[in-house]
Amino acid sequence: MSQQEIITFAGIFSLVDFIEIPVIQRDYAQGRQSAQEIRQQFLHTLEQALHQDARSEPLVLDFIYGSIVEENPARLSVLDGQQRLTTLFLLHWFLAAKEGEHQAFCQRFTLNGKSRFSYKTRTSATEFFDALVSASPEHYQFAPDAAPIDKQLIDSHWFYLSWRQDPTVASCLTMLRAIQQRFTAATDNLFQRLCSEDDKRIVFHYLNLRSFGLSDDLYIKMNARGKALTEFENFKAWLCGRIGGWSEAETFSQKLDGRWTDLFWQLKVKELSFDTLYLRFFMRMAFLLECGRGDKSASTLEEGDTAWFSLLRDAQGAFSPLEFEQRHAFAVEDLEKIRRVLDYIYVAQTAPDAEGAASAARALLIDFVTSSDYLVQARFCALVLFILAQAKPGDDAALHQQRWLRFTGNLLNTLELNAKNFIRALAALKAMAPHAHELYVWLEHAPVPAIFKDQWQEERLKVELIQQDPAWEAALIRAERHPCLQGRIRGLLNLACSSKHGRYSLKEFIALTDKTLRVLDKAIIEHEEHLLERALLTLGDYLVPVGYNRFTFCRSANHSWRERSRGWMRVVEKPIFGELLTHIGKKEVLKTLQNLIDQVDCGGWRELIVKYPQVISYAKERLLDKEDEKIYLLSKSTRRAYFFELHGYVLAERLQQRLENGDLPVPIKAAEHRWTYGDDEPWLELTLDKEQVRYLYYSEGKFQFWKYEDSESKKAPQPRYFPALLEELMPEIYAVD
């Protein structure tokens, strides 16, 4: 074989006896579950090449590096190209078996009963290839409705189940199933065409290292000890080749390897390599650019668009040149935008007087390359649009950036973002971006984007206040930054507005913010005794509705808009929160809350919960179900899981305590509250004197006795002493007669 020769896979075997994947190489990877995108794209490329007519150029699969051991038998030891060669070998075997060409396959690809293509990484891999080529495929089924070929092989008498533990064998089985799915319906004689030397469809450039006087050891060192190039290195090579005709190509390539590389090196994100972050940036920028094109709208998204967007946004798969080329990704105008974004962030970090702007841009960049969350992507897109809207960076760019990011962040934080809403939000941001450098002036008369209408008026009010008194800006930002609020502070603004004059007091707003930050401190909203929840219940019913008779005590989670809209943000907007703040003075907040709890006198179910904080702890999802007078505490999110009824639970607790103290003046021997789930009603089981058992349910504002557990059973008369006992034990509710 010459130093560099164009050759087919089958043609290699006319020059050597065996092709071997040496011990130093990794296992076969194209069949791994995580390589689905690579696998499908490569098979698609091979399929297209095999179906093209003879006038078409053959598919060139780049270089294969290796060295030939000139001995008997002669062996080609592959140092680069093992993935492509393995897939081609499996494709030859499948097509030969499907098309009845197994004998021709054996004549070409076996020698002395052994496979002429083999792995030396593990004995099990070698044995698998030998067994695969030796077994007759006449019992295998290849019809469209046939069982998966990998399962047929595993069920064969020659297949050892222990081979499935070999990563190379497992990957081969997965690849064969993928080949079956793509080539089962093919009717052409593809095996003969694949092997043809007259009409070569798929070829390689072969480079024999030893013909250049290079040792295998040197190649391994050059190629990172045998490891393949990273996905980003492959992407970079493809990108630089794609922009050859662009006037800025050389400058772009230099920055790609220079200042921008430095930018990503400095991110230092744990557990993610530098080139992973770099590649994710480009993939997700392609996502933003695709979503922002004028022809993309929420109503016209097709299934193919959705899949393509998901691939770019998740950025978890490998780089696929074929699909990027088919989608015309990274056109020159896109690369110009990317250049401006990267230059802006790089320069911002080196500017001595723009620390705040640089910090914000850096934080958004880190989030952008580490999270596929729609909100994260939208916030970075807002930064991108701000950068692209700059005709020329000015001295006040940092201030304009801060205001734009705060304003757009507040709007985005109040949205439930999904694929369609994301595109709508980006379209609205794009329309607003030209005004980013005159934001406050423009907002006075700006049209209201439909998707942002719920938050828009609040943002307009904030701008009016800032223009009246610039001191408002810092005060508003301080309140907006609370994790539970994240931009939506209309509750505090309403409290700071005089009901008599309709004017907003900055002094009052600052005082309210101080109190709110103290009350919504993490240590308080996560307190194991639930002091904040109980103190609020002493003042009124603050619970937030979440649908179908269910209400939440509020959880500390506030990462998403859904969580905040069912959490403390909603409570802050209730009048009861303002009433609570009137009790907050200079004393420690916990003491104030405890004082309210100690003085509770509200009666009813609220007082019962205030006195029994364990019922809130029981509700892991912080949910209760209110149905008329019955209060059900839920262990999970619905009554499909275990729950109990509050009044019966408290009565059982108090009866049990009196029994333990030995001061219960009536003949009750035991009391136990029964939890339940589904459509059953929780009940209280009482054991009376003479071993009589009675069952109590709380319904229609009173306790009712039943003779049996089943709530459909006959009612039973209550003991004569029970009404007086209830009045004594349950003073928070009215006793029954």
Side-chain angles (χ1 to χ4, degrees), residues 18-25 27 75 77 114-115 117-127 129-130 168:
F18 292 94
I19 299 177
E20 292 181 350
I21 307 301
V23 175
I24 62 170
Q25 293 286 37
D27 295 300
R75 294 176 289 110
S77 182
K114 303 290 186 182
S115 173
F117 179 86
S118 186
Y119 268 68
K120 297 303 178 184
T121 53
R122 289 183 178 85
T123 303
S124 52
T126 304
E127 292 173 345
F129 281 102
D130 287 342
T168 291

Side-chain angles (χ1 to χ4, degrees), residues 160-381:
Y160 290 93
L161 294 180
S162 60
W163 289 349
R164 299 176 67 181
Q165 306 304 314
D166 185 314
T168 291
V169 176
S171 288
C172 286
L173 294 173
T174 302
M175 178 58 81
L176 284 169
R177 177 185 282 213
I179 290 172
Q180 177 189 33
Q181 292 169 346
R182 186 168 290 275
F183 288 92
T184 291
T187 56
D188 301 335
N189 295 322
L190 296 184
F191 175 74
Q192 291 296 339
R193 191 164 200 202
L194 195 55
C195 298
S196 174
E197 291 297 319
D198 297 325
D199 178 21
K200 297 178 180 179
R201 292 291 86 213
I202 301 170
V203 296
F204 302 93
H205 293 286
Y206 172 72
L207 186 64
N208 186 355
L209 295 177
R210 294 190 177 179
S211 297
F212 283 92
L214 301 176
S215 68
D216 295 352
D217 288 344
L218 178 59
Y219 173 77
I220 292 169
K221 291 177 181 177
M222 291 167 59
N223 194 30
R225 296 185 178 89
K227 293 182 180 178
L229 297 176
T230 67
E231 293 297 336
F232 179 69
E233 289 168 331
N234 289 326
F235 168 77
K236 187 166 62 172
W238 170 83
L239 184 63
C240 290
R242 183 174 175 78
I243 63 175
W246 183 28
S247 60
E248 298 294 324
E250 184 176 353
T251 301
F252 189 92
S253 298
Q254 289 174 350
K255 290 181 177 180
L256 198 60
D257 286 324
R259 56 159 57 179
W260 299 340
T261 294
D262 293 341
L263 177 64
F264 283 92
W265 265 114
Q266 294 169 12
L267 294 184
K268 296 179 182 178
V269 177
K270 286 185 177 181
E271 299 177 359
L272 290 173
S273 64
F274 140 80
D275 50 5
T276 296
L277 300 175
Y278 214 164
L279 180 58
R280 281 188 182 181
F281 171 81
F282 277 92
M283 296 275 277
R284 287 176 176 157
M285 278 300 298
F287 167 65
L288 295 183
L289 293 168
E290 283 290 322
C291 289
R293 298 200 194 285
D295 60 341
K296 300 297 181 187
S297 68
S299 59
T300 60
L301 269 186
E302 299 178 356
E303 186 176 345
D305 291 324
T306 303
W308 171 236
F309 287 174
S310 178
L311 173 68
L312 296 174
R313 182 172 69 92
D314 292 343
Q316 298 295 331
F319 162 66
S320 172
L322 177 64
E323 187 157 12
F324 272 71
E325 290 174 4
Q326 290 175 337
R327 295 277 186 170
H328 306 291
F330 298 114
V332 168
E333 57 270 23
D334 292 339
L335 293 177
E336 174 59 26
K337 293 175 182 177
I338 291 172
R339 179 195 66 76
R340 291 178 61 186
V341 170
L342 287 174
D343 278 349
Y344 179 92
I345 298 176
Y346 176 82
V347 171
Q349 291 202 116
T350 59
D353 58 345
E355 182 177 347
S359 178
R362 176 187 173 84
L364 288 172
L365 176 61
I366 291 175
D367 288 344
F368 183 61
V369 296
T370 56
S371 172
S372 60
D373 182 78
Y374 278 115
L375 176 59
V376 168
Q377 307 300 304
R379 288 175 65 88
F380 188 79
C381 185

Side-chain angles (χ1 to χ4, degrees), residues 683-696:
W683 69 93
L684 177 62
E685 181 178 307
L686 293 182
T687 303
L688 309 179
D689 56 344
K690 299 180 182 181
E691 301 303 323
Q692 295 182 68
V693 178
R694 289 291 181 267
Y695 303 95
L696 278 76

Side-chain angles (χ1 to χ4, degrees), residues 500-613:
K500 184 176 181 180
H501 304 289
R503 290 196 293 267
Y504 293 87
S505 166
L506 175 58
K507 182 179 179 180
E508 181 65 16
F509 179 81
I510 292 173
L512 289 165
T513 300
D514 289 339
K515 291 182 178 182
T516 299
L517 298 184
R518 291 168 62 202
V519 168
L520 296 184
D521 181 77
K522 187 173 186 291
I524 292 178
I525 61 178
E526 294 182 358
H527 196 280
E528 61 182 8
E529 293 295 326
H530 315 295
L531 298 184
L532 176 57
E533 295 92 323
R534 294 159 65 202
L536 282 165
L537 285 173
T538 67
L539 302 175
D541 182 359
Y542 82 93
L543 302 185
V544 177
V546 294
Y548 196 67
N549 295 332
R550 286 181 302 145
F551 298 80
T552 177
F553 291 104
C554 295
R555 304 178 67 183
S556 59
N558 47 55
H559 300 294
S560 69
W561 166 245
R562 180 182 178 84
E563 291 170 338
R564 291 193 300 281
S565 65
R566 295 182 169 189
W568 293 109
M569 182 198 76
R570 289 290 188 196
V571 178
V572 172
E573 296 173 6
K574 291 173 175 280
I576 193 174
F577 189 78
E579 185 179 350
L580 175 69
L581 294 186
T582 63
H583 292 272
I584 304 299
K586 295 182 179 180
K587 290 197 304 186
E588 184 181 347
V589 173
L590 290 177
K591 290 183 178 179
T592 302
L593 299 177
Q594 189 63 60
N595 288 339
L596 287 171
I597 293 169
D598 293 341
Q599 298 168 20
V600 60
D601 189 27
C602 57
W605 64 267
R606 291 191 288 119
E607 185 167 337
L608 295 181
I609 293 177
V610 171
K611 291 178 177 178
Y612 287 85

